[in-house]
Amino acid sequence: SRSPSPSPGEPTPESSTPASVDVLRVLGQGRAAEAQLVDATMTDGRVLRCVEKVFAPGRLTRAIYRIAFQSPFAYQSNEHAIQSCFYRRRVAAAILAASDLDIEIAAPLYVRFDRQRRAWVLAAQWVDGRGVKPAPAQPHRLRQIFGRLRQTLGRFFGRQPGRSAEPLAVTADSSAAAWGGSQQTTHEIDDLVSQMRQLEKLLIECGLTGSGWQVAPRAMVSTANLLRVAGRYTIIDLESGIPAVLVPKYLFYGLHQAALPPFDDLDPNCLLKWIENNERSMIVRIGPEAVERLRTDVEQLILHSRAWKNSEPAIFRRPWRLLTRAGASAYQNECFRRWRQDEIVDQQTAAALHQQPLKSVLIWWATLLPGRLGRLAGRMIGRASSREKLKRFFVQPAFRKQCLDQYRLQCVQRWRAAQRISQRAQPARFSFAVHSVLGVIAPASVHRFCVDHQRRRHLAVTTCRILFNASYQAQLGEQQIEAAIERWVQQQRISQREANHLRSDLAAQEIAVYARGFGMHLGLKTLAPLIMPAKVGGVAAFIATGNPWFLLPLLLLPCLRLILTIVSWWSSRGRGVPHGEALLTSWLPTVGSAAFPFQMFASRPRLSVFLIRDVASRIGCNLPVYGGANSRTELALIRGCDFLIEIMSWAAGRSQDLRSRFGRRSISPALPEKM
């Protein structure tokens, strides 16, 4: 039997909360929460190493939730919502333990409220696993697609299928095919998606409809919610960040339950019925004590979920309940509880709120103001101490100066922690106002660039070194590639043996030559503001006069690229560094800037394929809404690189054929052994 939930001695929301928490490192930032690895010291002296999810989402997530349900983000502010997260994980863990699926859930440990960040926190078991591995590069997909299309058209027109085309000569595409890992990783994503479909079906059947959304294969980011540990998968995230509106099936479920838009919804009748129908088999699989614990957890889950959902206006969720006394009372009680939690009202005011409806309405309207302004306005009405401080602020200059200095110090400390300003910066009054505006409307990097002249100077110097300093180009390129290799090793996407092969390619002497050549080609882009007017004027003069000499400015950059490529070839001729592909493509307009990356692909295909896939991975991780690490978006972009790799392989093969026709030796690197 498998243990589906914590034993009686383990902490629960009612029995134990940590006395202190030591944050070790931040593991990641999601749409709704920040995951951080912590050592939690419990009240009985035990130290638990676990992962805390601090539900402090960004503005976009909060805005989406506010529009959908007319309430603050529930997991950040609603106690019943965070308790629902705890018991939902325990119930789902018991159901999975009693099923045939070999999938676990990171066990919940405790919940607490972080007063500094004004957010609820859910602690769960630390799972030291990895995400799904991307499929290895397959640079023959276009030929396979065209081959199947030819066979389909042949059968349609009544032709007999002919013999399959013979594979092309071994060139760079074969080297790329050899890179990419064992055959086992090819089907890992397919196996994960298959298990996710079964898991989604099980959760929906037992009434945990909202949890099914978190593992739905059609949700592009759902694959990031599971980690692979010792050959099996563990669910690490069962809490949504946005409503489940991106998959039509869940909109149908929400419409059926009169709960639109759906957000981690629960069907209590379905859940109770499922447990009743499967009680005997569950007793056999997990034991009678675990089943009894499951029934208790289900009661708590239903209780907290109902209290959470009824405490929000949510005009599209059973709107008729808003007309009842119970619905209005539930929303009112939640507002009072949240005001006490956020220290908007003091004890005296909180005790009298039910007898002072006018004051309650005024506080409610005040808290509708965004951010700190709303909290400040609410405290002016709900706290006598805040009103006294405001009075002292206006009548006592010394106290006013003390408050302003303290406020400025807090802002400066926050900006320094976010690296919006340097650690030595001391903003004056005017610059403080500029910082305050930039802190709201600008990202941290833009804020720092606008206010820190040393950062601007550093970026300018770094840019010039990247464009014109050959040794710095080689050093920086090697550091970036080494960092990418190490990142893939840490994510367990490639083995140490594969990383050593990539490092051996990186140590080749031609890599530095190609990096410098690419830097020189990029340096020519700085001339674009000067050359572009000449191009436009030349085209206009050619249209007006018909004289082709006016089109010479169009050839200026291609000719300069060709000259720089010849210089690079001449300076490295003694070391035998190939430049054939670069010489053939550098004179082409627009695409000529990619001459040296194309040359590196022809000479070192394994390293080039890795870099192409790493760039696609970074793009997939940083896409808003649909992107993220280990998401299907990231995996799809990595898989889509196969088409680019095949095109570049075909071009490299044609280039070598062209040079061989002129009697020159074709430079084809030795194929790497298959990993």
Side-chain angles (χ1 to χ4, degrees):
S1 64
R2 290 182 286 175
S3 177
S5 58
S7 62
E10 293 180 350
T12 66
E14 298 83 11
S15 65
S16 181
T17 53
S20 63
V21 174
D22 182 20
V23 179
L24 302 180
R25 70 175 187 273
V26 175
L27 299 177
Q29 177 71 49
R31 292 167 181 80
E34 179 184 83
Q36 53 189 20
L37 184 65
V38 304
D39 280 340
T41 303
M42 313 306 292
T43 54
D44 57 4
R46 292 176 301 131
V47 178
L48 298 178
R49 176 157 294 184
C50 56
V51 175
E52 284 193 347
K53 291 185 65 176
V54 184
F55 289 96
R59 295 188 181 93
L60 178 60
T61 300
R62 297 200 307 269
I64 292 174
Y65 196 93
R66 176 78 70 171
I67 293 171
F69 306 110
Q70 303 82 55
S71 290
F73 188 74
Y75 294 153
Q76 181 179 15
S77 61
N78 194 309
E79 183 178 4
H80 288 295
I82 199 69
Q83 299 283 11
S84 299
C85 295
F86 183 93
Y87 287 107
R88 188 189 305 119
R89 286 204 180 204
R90 292 184 63 161
V91 170
I95 292 174
L96 284 178
S99 70
D100 295 327
L101 295 177
D102 192 19
I103 299 177
E104 294 181 339
I105 293 179
L109 300 178
Y110 60 82
V111 297
R112 68 179 181 90
F113 185 73
D114 189 334
R115 294 197 175 276
Q116 182 178 1
R117 302 181 66 172
R118 295 187 305 279
W120 282 98
V121 178
L122 172 67
Q125 171 191 1
W126 179 37
V127 177
D128 189 12
R130 64 168 178 83
V132 61
K133 285 185 178 181
Q138 298 178 4
H140 298 284
R141 293 178 63 191
L142 281 175
R143 272 171 278 190
Q144 294 173 357
I145 293 173
F146 288 137
R148 288 193 294 268
L149 179 62
R150 179 189 299 177
Q151 293 178 2
T152 302
L153 293 176
R155 287 193 298 268
F156 180 78
F157 290 105
R159 298 177 182 176
Q160 295 294 329
R163 296 177 57 188
S164 59
E166 294 293 333
L168 298 181
V170 175
T171 54
D173 54 350
S174 300
S175 301
W179 184 92
S182 61
Q183 184 67 20
Q184 181 181 0
T185 61
T186 307
H187 306 289
E188 186 171 297
I189 181 62
D190 299 329
D191 174 65
L192 174 59
V193 171
S194 176
Q195 294 194 46
M196 290 174 63
R197 288 196 181 99
Q198 300 177 51
L199 177 59
E200 179 190 18
K201 180 180 179 182
L202 173 63
L203 293 176
I204 292 176
E205 286 178 352
C206 68
L208 299 176
T209 309
S211 300
W213 156 258
Q214 284 296 95
V215 295
R218 291 189 178 183
M220 299 301 292
V221 299
S222 59
T223 50
N225 297 333
L226 293 92
L227 293 182
R228 191 177 182 91
V229 184
R232 66 190 307 185
Y233 289 101
T234 300
I235 303 173
I236 61 171
D237 188 0
L238 210 60
E239 297 76 39
S240 298
I242 59 175
V245 296
L246 303 179
V247 178
K249 176 170 63 175
Y250 290 91
L251 288 175
F252 174 78
Y253 289 143
L255 182 63
H256 178 70
Q257 298 176 8
L260 288 176
F263 186 90
D264 285 354
D265 291 294
L266 173 70
D267 189 342
N269 296 328
C270 181
L271 177 58
L272 293 173
K273 183 178 180 180
W274 188 91
I275 293 176
E276 182 180 354
N277 294 337
N278 295 272
E279 183 175 7
R280 291 186 178 180
S281 61
M282 294 176 68
I283 291 176
V284 174
R285 288 176 177 265
I286 62 178
E289 294 182 359
V291 173
E292 186 63 27
R293 220 165 39 239
L294 170 62
R295 286 189 173 277
T296 303
D297 292 340
V298 167
E299 293 177 0
Q300 293 295 321
L301 173 60
I302 294 175
L303 175 66
H304 288 296
S305 295
R306 183 179 291 119
W308 162 30
K309 299 293 184 178
N310 289 336
S311 66
E312 296 179 334
I315 59 176
F316 301 108
R317 181 194 299 146
R318 300 191 305 276
W320 54 85
R321 64 182 171 78
L322 299 176
L323 304 177
T324 65
R325 183 180 297 273
S329 177
Y331 176 63
Q332 184 185 54
N333 291 333
E334 172 58 24
C335 288
F336 293 168
R337 189 206 60 79
R338 189 170 64 248
W339 295 343
R340 292 193 301 269
Q341 173 183 281
D342 295 340
E343 299 179 347
I344 291 178
V345 297
D346 53 25
Q347 295 295 333
Q348 182 179 359
T349 305
L353 281 175
H354 287 282
Q355 288 77 34
Q356 297 177 343
L358 179 59
K359 179 174 286 190
S360 302
V361 172
L362 291 176
I363 296 175
W364 184 82
W365 278 106
T367 53
L368 291 181
L369 297 173
R372 297 178 181 175
L373 182 61
R375 290 192 298 273
L376 178 61
R379 287 172 179 172
M380 291 298 105
I381 304 173
R383 297 181 67 89
S385 60
S386 297
R387 294 192 295 271
E388 180 63 26
K389 286 183 178 179
L390 181 63
K391 180 180 178 180
R392 293 179 59 193
F393 181 84
F394 284 109
V395 301
Q396 299 181 10
F399 182 74
R400 180 168 59 249
K401 183 178 183 302
Q402 178 185 352
C403 291
L404 292 176
D405 291 342
Q406 184 179 3
Y407 173 72
R408 281 196 290 265
L409 179 61
Q410 292 175 353
C411 291
V412 169
Q413 290 176 347
R414 187 173 65 253
W415 295 333
R416 288 174 178 171
Q419 296 186 358
R420 289 180 171 270
I421 61 176
S422 66
Q423 298 299 319
R424 299 184 303 273
Q426 295 290 343
R429 291 185 178 181
F430 176 76
S431 60
F432 180 82
V434 175
H435 286 300
S436 300
V437 174
L438 291 175
V440 174
I441 66 174
S445 58
V446 177
H447 185 174
R448 184 72 177 269
F449 179 81
C450 293
V451 301
D452 192 344
H453 68 280
Q454 293 183 352
R455 174 61 62 89
R456 293 194 298 270
R457 183 188 307 161
H458 174 73
L459 290 177
V461 172
T462 302
T463 302
C464 292
R465 294 178 68 184
I466 290 175
L467 296 179
F468 305 109
N469 191 316
S471 60
Y472 186 78
Q473 293 164 359
Q475 179 184 0
L476 181 63
E478 183 176 350
Q479 290 177 354
Q480 295 295 322
I481 296 174
E482 179 62 36
I485 295 173
E486 186 61 29
R487 183 171 58 253
W488 279 57
V489 171
Q490 291 179 355
Q491 295 173 352
Q492 301 182 37
R493 291 187 167 185
I494 60 175
S495 65
Q496 193 64 48
R497 183 165 175 264
E498 293 171 321
N500 292 335
H501 282 288
L502 293 174
R503 291 189 178 100
S504 66
D505 287 345
L506 179 60
Q509 59 180 354
E510 61 260 30
I511 300 299
V513 176
Y514 298 153
R516 289 195 295 270
F518 184 52
M520 290 188 293
H521 282 187
L522 288 180
L524 293 177
K525 293 293 185 180
T526 59
L527 302 177
L530 301 176
I531 298 178
M532 184 57 66
K535 289 183 177 180
V536 175
V539 172
F542 169 74
I543 295 175
T545 63
N547 189 345
W549 289 101
F550 287 110
L551 297 179
L552 285 179
L554 298 177
L555 304 178
L556 181 58
L557 281 181
C559 291
L560 291 176
R561 279 197 301 267
L562 179 60
I563 292 173
L564 290 178
T565 306
I566 294 175
V567 170
S568 177
W569 165 73
W570 181 261
S571 61
S572 60
R573 68 189 186 283
R575 290 176 285 174
V577 178
H579 278 73
E581 283 71 17
L583 290 170
L584 287 174
T585 56
S586 60
W587 58 274
L588 298 175
T590 307
V591 298
S593 297
F596 279 101
F598 178 49
Q599 178 65 63
M600 189 171 73
F601 181 89
S603 300
R604 296 289 172 179
R606 177 169 47 198
L607 182 60
S608 298
V609 168
F610 169 77
L611 294 177
I612 292 172
R613 288 159 62 89
D614 179 65
V615 170
S617 172
R618 296 188 185 190
I619 295 174
C621 288
N622 291 285
L623 284 177
V625 182
Y626 291 101
N630 299 315
S631 65
R632 297 194 70 181
T633 302
E634 182 204 10
L635 299 175
L637 288 177
I638 295 176
R639 187 72 181 273
C641 293
D642 292 348
F643 300 109
L644 175 61
I645 293 170
E646 184 169 2
I647 293 173
M648 295 183 70
S649 301
W650 175 85
R654 302 292 78 75
S655 173
Q656 292 182 3
D657 291 342
L658 180 63
R659 289 188 290 111
S660 63
R661 291 181 182 179
F662 289 92
R664 299 189 61 179
R665 180 174 59 89
S666 176
I667 303 174
S668 180
L671 295 179
E673 57 177 315
K674 190 169 183 177
M675 303 181 199

